[in-house]
Amino acid sequence: DVVRFFVGVEGTGERYGDVSIPQGELYFSIPCFGSDPDTGGFQRLSSKRNCPVTVRMIGWNTGWRRMESRIVGTVHAVPLAEAKEKEGF
């Protein structure tokens, strides 16, 4: 199973190397495993690998005008306690 969500962003307005983030949404896809039979929810998000963060844009790369997902970065899911320890907040 995969947890998928998006966050609205204002965009970068400029390029950083070959990357720019357009105004719109950043899409996250994080694999998860284990289910809680009482709630039907997931117990853990995968933290074994980085997960893609993408934007969706109209592209012509295939010769056809279509909606494409383009990776702009990755996110690594860790337990909140571990994140607080690493980041010091």
Side-chain angles (χ1 to χ4, degrees), residues 29-47:
S29 298
I30 303 173
C32 51
F33 56 92
S35 61
D36 183 345
D38 295 330
T39 64
F42 301 109
Q43 292 180 337
R44 297 185 179 267
L45 297 177
S46 173
S47 61

Side-chain angles (χ1 to χ4, degrees), residues 11-89:
T12 58
E14 55 186 271
R15 294 182 78 83
Y16 295 93
D18 63 348
V19 175
S20 66
I21 299 174
Q23 182 179 3
E25 291 85 25
L26 290 178
Y27 293 85
F28 295 79
S29 298
I30 303 173
C32 51
F33 56 92
S35 61
D36 183 345
D38 295 330
T39 64
F42 301 109
Q43 292 180 337
R44 297 185 179 267
L45 297 177
S46 173
S47 61
K48 294 183 178 182
R49 61 188 170 113
N50 290 330
C51 305
V53 178
T54 60
V55 295
R56 300 219 169 109
M57 302 175 71
I58 300 289
W60 292 89
N61 293 339
T62 61
W64 296 94
R65 185 178 164 151
R66 65 182 186 138
M67 186 64 70
E68 298 176 340
S69 290
R70 297 181 183 170
I71 295 175
V72 295
T74 60
V75 63
H76 188 80
V78 297
L80 187 56
E82 186 179 329
K84 285 182 177 180
E85 185 179 305
K86 285 182 180 179
E87 300 297 327
F89 66 89

